[in-house]
Amino acid sequence: MTDLGTRPGRALRRAAPALLGYAAVRALGLLTLALWSAARDKSAYTLLTARWDALWYTRVAELGYGYEVRLPNGDVHSNLAFFPLLPWLERLLSALTPLSYADAGFVVSLLASLAAAWGVFAVTDHVYGVRAGVCAVLLWAVLPVGIVQSMAYSESLFTALAAWSLYAVLTGRWVTAGLLASLAGLTRPVGLAVVAAVWATGAAAFLRERRDRHETTTTAGDQAGRETTTVVGAREQSEAATAACEQEPGGETATVAPTTAARQQDPSKAATVACERDRSRPEGPSSGRNRSAADAGGARAVGHAPETGTASLSGRAPDAEGARTPSHSPGVGKSGGTRVRRALGMALAPLGTAAYVLWVGHRTGKGPLGYLDVQAGWRNGFDGGYAFARFVGDKFTSFPSALAGAGLIVGVALIIWLYVICVRQGQPLPLSVYAGVVTALALCASSYFGSKPRLLMPAFPLLLPLALALARARTRRSAAVVAAVAVASALYGAFWLNGSGPP
């Protein structure tokens, strides 16, 4: 299992096959793009660093916020729609090196894509093992829109922060998870998905601890009641047996001297056994002394009854099976620090998104909802998927476009099916929540519909069922499948960027 907390070098060596495979797939994509672009007299590097959103990020890094474009239809495209972490890193790297802002954006994206691949591997390896981790990374690399991972866009940076935040949640590093979630919230609006994963998992942990404490307290009370009843019953039985034993035929008094082993088994039985044994002894002057010793032994037998392997009446000692007592239950005692760190991580998680959204509202003078107005200028919003459904429906107005509409329906159905499989396979809660929110925001937003495949790219947990299937297949077959899909992805990426490209 990947463990960066104690052995980062070993963790990197464990992830090396996945990272090398990822680098090979991305290198194939870049080479294909370079050859395709050269055949069309275009610059592949310009397509990667100076087109579409990459230009907006570069302008933010160079000029700051405040730039906007007013379109003839009245729409206002403001650079306030772009979250600040990628431009900040571009500006920082450009200040420290001779690189331009565009070059810095490209370097940041390349490094972030490797960090994202490592994060995807770490999460999958932690949940399903190293083989599934390698397959998950390769599947993420060969996505049809995988070329975006090598562009000066924020998707790779966001996926890296999200994946490592999820890994921190899975491994109980709550403060780290909160910090990374906050940084993800400074990268893209979908950072809310990471916040939701941290909060949902933290809340579930608090509820589980509360339930466990209640169950442990109830169990300890029941156990104490049973022990009290057992001790009282044993004392009564012992006294009754002793009284019966003392009255010998002919009025003689017997000596009661239970053995230690018998006392430890059952006080009443101990008295009876001692009685039978003493009846066979000759009478002598020592009978009174033996009776006194027997009375002391009987008292000791009763006094030590709770020490027969069960917890004491206080509920603080472990039972014979080593079960944890209330003082060592989850969320009690040693786990107090864990609860504090979890609460701190949950408090840190939304700070990035909240800080930027509130700053935009202050900047625009429209309050906390000012960022929504900025997005409305780009015709972005959340309408529950109504606009997307109309877009798909319009495709069926003519025959050629009807094929595209059918393809969109199949694609959406595939995404929903993958998510259902993730849930049915028992995927950990943070992964399910994260993937669900990313998918909902992507499919139910009214943004440019050609962007949806790119917006879905960070939802890597959706790929885990496919990764498991590949991991179970023979290595030769899995390699052949990945190689074929990698070639198709490289060709599609080159065609896409030289055509309409990502918006």
Side-chain angles (χ1 to χ4, degrees), residues 227 230-231 234 263-264 267 299-310:
E227 291 169 356
T230 301
V231 171
R263 280 199 309 268
Q264 292 177 349
R300 283 195 301 269
V302 174
H304 287 282
E307 297 180 3
T308 59
T310 59

Side-chain angles (χ1 to χ4, degrees), residues 314-395:
S314 65
R316 295 179 182 177
D319 61 14
E321 288 79 19
R324 288 186 298 185
T325 62
S327 61
H328 296 289
S329 299
V332 180
K334 293 182 180 179
S335 63
T338 300
R339 294 199 303 274
V340 172
R341 290 190 294 272
R342 186 188 305 131
L344 179 57
M346 294 174 67
L348 290 171
L351 293 184
T353 300
Y356 183 68
V357 169
L358 292 176
W359 179 82
V360 170
H362 175 74
R363 175 73 179 258
T364 59
K366 297 181 179 180
L369 301 180
Y371 182 77
L372 298 180
D373 290 338
V374 171
Q375 287 286 356
W378 289 80
R379 294 187 179 271
N380 291 336
F382 188 86
D383 61 359
Y386 174 74
F388 183 47
R390 288 190 58 185
F391 174 79
V392 174
D394 291 342
K395 294 293 182 182

Side-chain angles (χ1 to χ4, degrees), residues 106-481:
F106 182 65
V107 172
V108 169
S109 292
L110 287 182
L111 296 177
S113 66
L114 290 172
W118 192 1
V120 171
F121 171 82
V123 169
T124 312
D125 177 30
H126 179 81
V127 178
Y128 296 118
V130 61
R131 187 176 175 88
V134 173
C135 293
V137 171
L138 294 177
L139 287 175
W140 191 67
V142 302
L143 288 174
V145 293
I147 190 65
V148 176
Q149 298 167 15
S150 303
M151 298 179 67
Y153 272 42
S154 61
E155 273 76 11
S156 292
L157 178 60
F158 173 79
T159 305
L161 294 169
W164 285 111
S165 179
L166 294 172
Y167 176 78
V169 171
L170 291 171
T171 56
R173 297 173 172 92
W174 288 98
V175 176
T176 301
L179 289 172
L180 291 174
S182 184
L183 291 175
L186 286 171
T187 308
R188 294 189 61 80
V190 75
L192 292 173
V194 190
V195 177
V198 173
W199 278 10
T201 311
F206 280 121
L207 292 175
R208 184 168 56 251
E209 288 177 351
R210 181 179 180 182
R211 180 194 63 202
D212 290 345
R213 285 198 301 272
H214 175 73
E215 291 178 353
T216 304
T217 302
T218 303
T219 302
D222 293 343
Q223 184 178 8
R226 289 194 300 268
E227 291 169 356
T228 302
T229 302
T230 301
V231 171
V232 173
R235 182 183 295 114
E236 294 175 351
Q237 293 175 11
S238 178
E239 292 173 353
T242 302
C245 177
E246 287 180 347
Q247 186 61 42
E248 289 284 338
E252 296 297 332
T253 301
T255 301
V256 182
T259 64
T260 301
R263 280 199 309 268
Q264 292 177 349
Q265 292 176 2
D266 191 327
S268 61
K269 291 181 180 180
T272 303
V273 171
C275 177
E276 295 295 335
R277 185 180 62 249
D278 288 340
R279 283 174 177 165
S280 63
R281 290 183 181 179
E283 298 181 9
S286 62
S287 17
R289 187 169 55 249
N290 290 342
R291 185 166 54 249
S292 301
D295 294 340
R300 283 195 301 269
V302 174
H304 287 282
E307 297 180 3
T308 59
T310 59
S312 66
L313 297 180
S314 65
R316 295 179 182 177
D319 61 14
E321 288 79 19
R324 288 186 298 185
T325 62
S327 61
H328 296 289
S329 299
V332 180
K334 293 182 180 179
S335 63
T338 300
R339 294 199 303 274
V340 172
R341 290 190 294 272
R342 186 188 305 131
L344 179 57
M346 294 174 67
L348 290 171
L351 293 184
T353 300
Y356 183 68
V357 169
L358 292 176
W359 179 82
V360 170
H362 175 74
R363 175 73 179 258
T364 59
K366 297 181 179 180
L369 301 180
Y371 182 77
L372 298 180
D373 290 338
V374 171
Q375 287 286 356
W378 289 80
R379 294 187 179 271
N380 291 336
F382 188 86
D383 61 359
Y386 174 74
F388 183 47
R390 288 190 58 185
F391 174 79
V392 174
D394 291 342
K395 294 293 182 182
F396 290 93
T397 57
S398 61
F399 174 72
S401 63
L403 296 177
L408 289 172
I409 292 176
V410 171
V412 172
L414 175 62
I415 291 169
I416 296 175
W417 176 74
L418 285 175
Y419 185 74
V420 171
I421 294 298
C422 290
V423 174
R424 293 183 63 182
Q425 287 181 345
Q427 202 168 95
L429 179 63
L431 302 188
S432 297
V433 172
Y434 168 76
V437 176
V438 172
T439 302
L441 290 176
L443 295 181
C444 298
S446 59
S447 58
Y448 178 67
F449 305 114
S451 300
K452 294 192 181 296
R454 173 172 64 88
L455 299 179
L456 283 165
M457 191 172 63
F460 68 89
L462 295 178
L463 299 173
L464 298 191
L466 300 178
L468 284 174
L470 273 180
R472 296 187 183 109
R474 295 181 180 272
T475 301
R476 184 175 300 178
R477 179 176 300 176
S478 299
V481 170

